[in-house]
């Protein structure tokens, strides 16, 4: 009996031991699970914060690409050809399946959206995302999936796409968007073809008031820009009224107007006589090696913006190497290419500081000619080495300095293209300016109703060839009939397949980007402080003349 009792006691003790050990194991397992969960939550938090911080600069973690900066070509150089390129009514996308990467592309193949699968976030739920990053700025639905959108700054937004619309869905994909590029793509997608074609035209106005024909071109033909000449500037008050009327006429347009002039300083000035003239480029070049170029550029920009003008066909980057040149002369800083480069870039920066778009001219160089392109077609016979060391140098350095707009002159440059003038030569615009010199901004032709064109070519055919060659804006400064001719020629070229809508979109994108970069708006100006502007001009002239 005593033996049985011992056995029972041992069994009871053993049972208690087993139960206790089991409970302890369960507690250990629970503790281990809790630790693992805590570690995972920390990892999730760190991963989300890392993605959020990288997205502020347009990037995704562990990727070198930057939305709004990286080109599709750069991606292809690293990853090779995309597995597929898709185009729909929302844009163009390139897909790399192995990398689980989808790129949104602009019309000019800039990557503006990066979208990828993030496997290390596949257990992050909506509630945890809110705890870590806060409430999203916008909730969206995409293909029956919930999207959290975080507006990070003026340039970038982050989208977290969950696996479904359910509350317990986890993050499936992450996307970074360059907002300025996306806004432009949205505008282009919302434009009709005639609105796009209108953006390619910059036209003159007949007189000191906005007439009905010019108003119709703005409102019904959707022209994207206006150029004003001396005939348009009679007085300060009249000039202000004209510019305000132009902006008012464009009220219902999808994009604001370029309103431009040739305000170079010296003998080429368009602003009304009530304003003291700004010194010429030659005066700047002679004064302490262009020391005051920035100040003059800033002053010109201040004058133009006071009237509501937002684009200036200046500065002249032609090197004045021919004393018999009938058209350049003191419009140039001098005969030294380095001086022209240095002063020109400074003047560009001064104008840009006042939100006035500088358009450097006359590419590829009008300095060494004996014919005025307003009258007939100049021919440049220098070899490529000379052109690169002199005529092209100021443009090359301005492009490296990030100038945004270039005017191409009506010049026959035999070393590059002995048959076609620069203003509609693919060899000069696409091959030289865009490919070799890497200019990705807006290309504008010189006035197509100048003698160099009208005496030798059909303006409609020149327009088509110029766009095919890589130009963006066709300038028609005088008369209205040629504007109709250009628009008709462009429409016919589209109908016949000579120009594609994709090609038109590329120019429209560059134009809209330029307007966006400089904050171009159709805002009316109330008054111009002529006394203050004249005082600033006199003080600057005195400084230049005294050499201080």
């Amino acid at each position: 009996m005593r033996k049985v009792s011992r056995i029972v006691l041992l069994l009871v003790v053993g049972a208690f031991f087993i139960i206790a050990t089991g409970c302890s194991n369960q507690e250990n397992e629970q503790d281990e699970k809790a630790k693992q969960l805590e570690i995972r939550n920390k990892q999730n938090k760190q991963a989300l914060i890392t993605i959020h911080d990288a997205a502020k600069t347009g990037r995704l973690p562990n990727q070198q690409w930057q939305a709004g900066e990286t080109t599709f070509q750069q991606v292809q150089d690293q990853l090779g050809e995309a597995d597929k390129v898709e185009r729909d009514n929302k844009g163009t996308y390139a897909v790399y399946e192995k990398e689980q990467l989808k790129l949104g592309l602009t019309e000019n193949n800039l990557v503006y959206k990066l979208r990828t699968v993030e496997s290390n976030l596949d257990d992050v739920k909506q509630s945890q995302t809110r705890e870590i990053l806060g409430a999203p700025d916008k909730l969206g639905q995409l293909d029956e999936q919930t999207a959290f959108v975080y507006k990070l700054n003026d340039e970038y937004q982050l989208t977290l796409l969950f696996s479904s619309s359910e509350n317990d869905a986890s993050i499936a994909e992450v996307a970074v968007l360059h907002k300025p590029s996306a806004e432009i793509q949205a505008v282009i997608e919302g434009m009709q073809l005639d609105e796009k074609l209108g953006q390619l035209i910059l036209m003159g106005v007949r007189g000191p008031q906005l007439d009905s024909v010019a108003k119709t071109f703005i409102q019904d033909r959707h022209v994207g820009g206006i150029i004003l000449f001396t005939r348009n500037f009679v007085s300060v008050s009249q000039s202000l009224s004209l510019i305000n009327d132009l902006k008012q006429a464009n009220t219902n347009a999808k994009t604001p107007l370029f309103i431009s002039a040739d305000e170079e300083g010296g003998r080429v000035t368009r602003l009304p006589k009530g304003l003291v003239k700004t010194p010429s480029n030659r005066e700047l070049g002679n004064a302490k090696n262009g020391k005051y170029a920035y100040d003059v550029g800033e002053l010109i920009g201040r004058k133009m913006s006071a009237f509501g003008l937002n684009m200036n066909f200046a500065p002249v980057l032609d090197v004045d190497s021919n004393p018999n040149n009938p058209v350049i002369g003191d419009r140039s800083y001098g005969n030294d290419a380095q001086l022209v480069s240095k002063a020109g870039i400074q003047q560009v920066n001064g104008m840009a500081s006042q939100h006035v778009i500088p358009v450097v001219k006359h590419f590829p160089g009008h300095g060494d000619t004996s014919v005025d392109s307003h009258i007939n077609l100049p021919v440049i016979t220098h070899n490529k080495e000379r052109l690169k060391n002199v005529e092209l140098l100021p443009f090359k350095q301005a492009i490296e300095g990030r100038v945004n707009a270039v005017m191409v002159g009506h010049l026959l440059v035999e070393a590059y293209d002995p048959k076609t003038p620069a203003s509609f030569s693919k060899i000069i615009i696409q091959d030289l300016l865009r490919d070799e010199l890497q200019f990705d901004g807006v290309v504008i032709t010189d006035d197509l109703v100048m003698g160099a064109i009208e005496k030798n070519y059909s303006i409609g055919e020149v327009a088509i060839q110029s766009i095919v060659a890589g130009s963006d804006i066709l300038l028609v400064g005088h008369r209205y009939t040629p504007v109709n001719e250009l628009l008709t020629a462009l429409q016919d070229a589209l109908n016949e397949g000579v120009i594609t809508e994709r090609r038109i979109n590329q120019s429209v994108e560059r134009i809209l980007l330029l307007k966006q970069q400089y904050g171009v708006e159709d805002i009316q100006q109330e008054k111009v402080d002529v006394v203050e502007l004249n005082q600033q001009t006199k003080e600057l002239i005195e400084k230049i003349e005294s050499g201080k």
Side-chain angles (χ1 to χ4, degrees):
M1 186 74 178
R2 192 175 294 174
K3 190 174 183 179
V4 172
S5 299
R6 286 177 185 167
I7 292 170
V8 170
L9 181 61
L10 286 171
L11 290 172
V12 170
V13 171
F16 274 117
F17 178 78
I18 291 169
I19 292 170
T21 303
C23 289
S24 176
N25 287 340
Q26 278 186 325
E27 288 174 4
N28 288 339
E29 287 177 9
Q30 289 173 353
D31 288 345
E32 185 63 27
K33 286 181 180 178
K35 288 179 181 177
Q36 292 297 325
L37 181 61
E38 183 179 358
I39 291 171
R40 185 59 182 151
N41 285 338
K42 287 181 178 179
Q43 290 173 337
N44 289 342
K45 181 177 181 180
Q46 186 57 51
L48 273 177
I49 291 172
T50 300
I51 288 169
H52 184 271
D53 290 347
K56 287 179 180 178
T57 62
R59 302 177 188 275
L60 291 172
N62 305 317
Q63 289 190 8
Q64 58 186 297
W65 324 123
Q66 183 179 13
E69 294 292 334
T70 298
T71 65
F72 185 33
Q73 185 60 56
Q74 289 172 318
V75 178
Q76 289 177 304
D77 290 344
Q78 291 291 322
L79 302 182
E81 294 293 322
D83 294 296
K84 55 184 174 181
V85 177
E86 307 167 331
R87 186 173 179 86
D88 57 26
N89 59 357
K90 293 183 179 180
T92 302
Y93 299 89
V95 179
Y96 288 88
E97 293 175 350
K98 180 182 176 182
E99 291 79 8
Q100 296 183 309
L101 182 65
K102 188 174 184 179
L103 309 173
L105 306 176
T106 71
E107 298 293 343
N108 289 293
N109 282 339
L110 182 73
V111 176
Y112 77 95
K113 187 175 185 179
L114 298 166
R115 181 171 167 179
T116 189
V117 174
E118 282 292 338
S119 57
N120 62 337
L121 296 177
D122 56 10
D123 64 344
V124 181
K125 312 296 188 218
Q126 293 186 26
S127 58
Q128 189 177 12
T129 303
R130 289 177 185 271
E131 288 174 10
I132 296 170
L133 299 183
D137 297 297
K138 180 183 176 183
L139 274 174
Q141 292 290 324
L142 181 64
D143 300 328
E144 299 184 353
Q145 296 173 276
T146 297
F148 280 16
V149 179
Y150 293 90
K151 298 176 181 178
L152 306 177
N153 48 44
D154 289 340
E155 286 199 77
Y156 296 108
Q157 75 178 32
L158 169 67
T159 299
L160 303 174
L161 194 64
F162 291 84
S163 56
S164 73
S165 58
E166 301 298 324
N167 289 331
D168 62 348
S170 58
I171 294 174
E173 293 182 75
V174 175
V176 178
L177 180 76
H178 183 243
K179 293 193 291 184
S181 296
E183 289 167 5
I184 289 172
Q185 298 311 303
V187 173
I188 294 173
E189 288 160 17
M191 295 175 84
Q192 300 298 314
L193 187 54
D194 61 339
E195 293 175 306
K196 295 176 183 179
L197 292 179
Q199 288 300 302
L200 276 55
I201 304 296
L202 197 145
M203 59 172 282
V205 176
R206 183 179 292 137
Q209 282 82 40
L210 176 59
D211 59 82
S212 60
V213 178
K215 189 174 182 179
T216 298
F217 272 116
I218 294 170
Q219 295 181 336
D220 297 344
R221 307 300 296 276
H222 314 289
V223 298
I226 300 293
I227 182 169
L228 300 177
F229 294 91
T230 305
R231 65 176 183 261
N232 305 117
F233 293 100
V234 176
S235 69
V236 171
S237 60
Q238 165 275 324
S239 301
L240 196 59
S241 294
L242 170 60
I243 294 168
N244 283 340
D245 287 346
L246 289 166
K247 294 178 178 180
Q248 181 63 35
N250 197 53
T251 300
N252 296 323
K254 291 184 173 74
T255 181
L257 284 172
F258 287 133
I259 303 182
S260 64
D262 295 283
E263 188 63 24
E264 300 174 13
R267 60 189 166 99
V268 180
T269 183
R270 309 302 190 205
L271 295 176
K273 293 180 180 178
L275 278 84
V276 176
K277 285 186 178 182
T278 312
S280 70
N281 282 350
R282 182 57 52 82
E283 291 174 271
L284 292 180
N286 290 338
K288 291 203 169 184
N289 202 30
K291 174 183 177 181
Y292 303 102
Y294 182 93
D295 296 334
V296 169
E298 184 180 41
L299 177 60
I300 289 174
R302 197 175 295 129
K303 286 180 177 182
M304 296 188 78
S305 61
F307 282 89
L309 295 158
N310 51 48
M311 176 180 275
N312 189 13
F313 290 105
V316 169
L317 293 189
D318 303 316
V319 180
D320 187 34
S321 56
N322 183 347
N324 296 318
N325 190 313
V327 66
I328 300 301
D330 65 355
R331 297 168 67 192
S332 168
Y333 299 103
N335 61 9
D336 182 335
Q338 289 291 351
L339 169 63
V340 172
S341 299
K342 177 184 173 183
I345 291 169
Q346 288 300 309
Q347 194 163 350
V348 160
N349 293 337
M351 284 182 215
S353 74
Q354 301 303 305
H355 304 286
V356 170
I357 301 163
V359 184
V360 297
K361 61 185 184 184
H362 307 83
F363 185 85
H366 204 320
D368 192 2
T369 63
S370 56
V371 174
D372 182 350
S373 55
H374 292 86
I375 300 170
N376 216 320
L377 180 64
V379 179
I380 297 172
T381 59
H382 295 302
N383 61 32
K384 287 186 179 180
E385 183 179 2
R386 147 67 193 236
L387 292 169
K388 288 180 179 180
N389 291 331
V390 180
E391 279 77 10
L392 289 172
L393 183 65
F395 293 99
K396 180 179 184 292
Q397 294 190 1
I399 290 165
E400 291 170 353
R402 305 303 299 166
V403 71
N404 303 110
V406 172
M407 172 180 276
V408 181
H410 305 312
L411 308 160
L412 193 67
V413 187
E414 292 185 335
Y416 283 96
D417 190 340
K419 296 180 179 179
T420 308
S423 51
F424 56 103
S425 165
K426 184 177 183 297
I427 294 171
I428 289 177
I429 297 173
Q430 185 63 52
D431 298 350
L432 175 59
L433 180 56
R434 292 208 184 278
D435 294 343
E436 185 176 333
L437 298 182
Q438 295 291 293
F439 178 67
D440 59 3
V442 171
V443 174
I444 307 176
T445 69
D446 207 342
D447 196 342
L448 293 177
V449 295
M450 289 164 58
I453 298 299
E454 287 201 306
K455 289 182 180 180
N456 299 287
Y457 305 95
S458 158
I459 189 172
E461 185 58 35
V462 166
I464 294 168
Q465 288 188 44
S466 188
I467 296 299
V468 170
S471 292
D472 301 304
I473 294 178
L474 305 166
L475 174 57
V476 182
H478 308 275
R479 308 194 309 274
Y480 294 145
T481 301
V483 181
N484 268 322
E485 290 180 34
L486 293 193
L487 288 168
T488 300
L490 290 172
Q491 184 63 64
D492 289 345
L494 275 163
N495 295 341
E496 295 165 7
V498 177
I499 300 175
T500 64
E501 186 169 359
R502 176 74 190 277
R503 171 65 194 89
I504 298 298
N505 288 348
Q506 290 171 347
S507 283
V508 173
E509 178 182 284
R510 285 190 282 259
I511 291 164
L512 296 185
L513 177 61
L514 184 59
K515 291 180 177 182
Q516 182 187 74
Q517 288 171 329
Y518 279 82
V520 175
E521 295 180 296
D522 288 329
I523 295 177
Q524 309 229 342
Q525 301 292 108
E526 294 183 4
K527 64 177 182 178
V528 178
D529 192 339
V530 175
V531 173
E532 176 62 23
L533 289 173
N534 283 344
Q535 181 60 33
Q536 292 173 4
T537 306
K538 291 174 183 177
E539 289 175 359
L540 185 54
I541 290 172
E542 183 179 336
K543 187 188 294 186
I544 292 170
E545 290 177 346
S546 65
K548 290 181 180 178

